Amino acid sequence: EAGVAQSPRYKIIEKRQSVAFWCNPISGHATLYWYQQILGQGPKLLIQFQNNGVVDDSQLPKDRFSAERLKGVDSTLKIQPAKLEDSAVYLCASSLGPDRGETQYFGPGTRLLVL
Amino acid sequence: AQSVTQPDIHITVSEGASLELRCNYSYGATPYLFWYVQSPGQGLQLLLKYFSGDTLVQGIKGFEAEFKRSQSSFNLRKPSVHWSDAAEYFCAVGSNTGKLIFGQGTTLQVKP
């Protein structure tokens, strides 16, 4: 079974530029998560999708971050404009459903450096 | 508020020695608890999870964890550590909506 795919793996941009990350979840997984992991911290949820609807985006900085999951499969996360503090690893995860005992499977992450 | 605390930021053990990583949680109801491992440059891999039943949970790679409700703890253990176990370990609690709330992680270094 293929895992969660993410691209790019690494990205370096200058502040105020824009950047987009892509995630392809495990086939059949209805729930998709984007987490932000700042160096030295645990991952924190940015946004959660159930199929193509948003379940939780309370921690997403909506003035600069946006995300979509068209057709309930792939997802993109965009930052525009980027700030220095956005330097982090962006992890995508998927699960069969939103139940709190459901296992989440993580992709390898996209490491973003904002200069 | 739901939260997870991992008191040890960095732990060093000798290869072959036993390991215990601490995790304390705060959650209003019966918690769903997870341990994940993250190797450098890789995503998180599930080691084990607990949501009911036997309080001693067996996981992959020889790891186990014990849920102690009275202490709000879910400590991870391994009887004999291998050099390949060097990584970062995260404890997490599952919220009602499914999202994971992670601790800050413990970095494990293994001495030869």
Side-chain angles (χ1 to χ4, degrees), chain B residues 17-111:
Chain B
S18 64
L19 171 71
E20 183 169 27
L21 302 181
R22 296 184 291 164
C23 172
N24 294 99
Y25 67 88
S26 173
Y27 193 80
T30 300
Y32 285 32
L33 296 161
F34 303 78
W35 274 100
Y36 280 85
V37 61
Q38 186 177 37
S39 298
Q42 298 191 20
L44 283 77
Q45 181 184 21
L46 179 70
L47 288 175
L48 48 80
K49 65 180 181 181
Y50 168 82
F51 48 91
S52 67
D54 194 346
T55 56
L56 186 62
V57 182
Q58 301 298 320
I60 63 171
K61 304 185 180 186
F63 285 93
E64 67 178 25
E66 186 171 13
F67 171 61
K68 293 185 177 180
R69 184 186 300 274
S70 61
Q71 298 178 19
S72 297
S73 69
F74 188 56
N75 294 350
L76 183 71
R77 300 195 294 248
K78 187 170 186 178
S80 178
V81 169
H82 188 261
W83 63 266
S84 60
D85 293 324
E88 191 156 20
Y89 292 79
F90 291 95
C91 181
V93 64
S95 74
N96 287 334
T97 56
K99 76 177 181 183
L100 293 173
I101 299 163
F102 287 89
Q104 70 180 80
T106 297
T107 300
L108 173 64
Q109 183 179 359
V110 180
K111 292 190 301 185

Side-chain angles (χ1 to χ4, degrees), chain A residues 16-94:
Chain A
R16 292 188 288 274
Q17 286 187 325
S18 63
V19 64
F21 313 130
W22 173 81
C23 172
N24 182 235
I26 292 173
S27 177
H29 280 195
T31 309
L32 185 146
Y33 306 82
W34 283 102
Y35 290 88
Q36 180 191 57
Q37 184 179 17
I38 293 172
L39 188 64
Q41 300 181 19
K44 289 183 171 60
L45 181 75
L46 289 175
I47 189 166
Q48 176 184 346
F49 291 96
Q50 178 65 19
N51 296 309
N52 59 353
V54 175
V55 173
D56 183 353
D57 64 355
S58 58
Q59 299 303 305
L60 188 73
K62 298 181 186 65
D63 58 334
R64 298 184 300 107
F65 285 64
S66 65
E68 61 182 9
R69 191 183 183 197
L70 299 176
K71 301 181 181 178
V73 182
D74 293 9
S75 177
T76 57
L77 176 69
K78 296 179 182 177
I79 308 175
Q80 182 179 11
K83 291 186 175 181
L84 297 177
E85 60 260 36
D86 298 332
S87 294
V89 176
Y90 291 85
L91 295 165
C92 180
S94 70

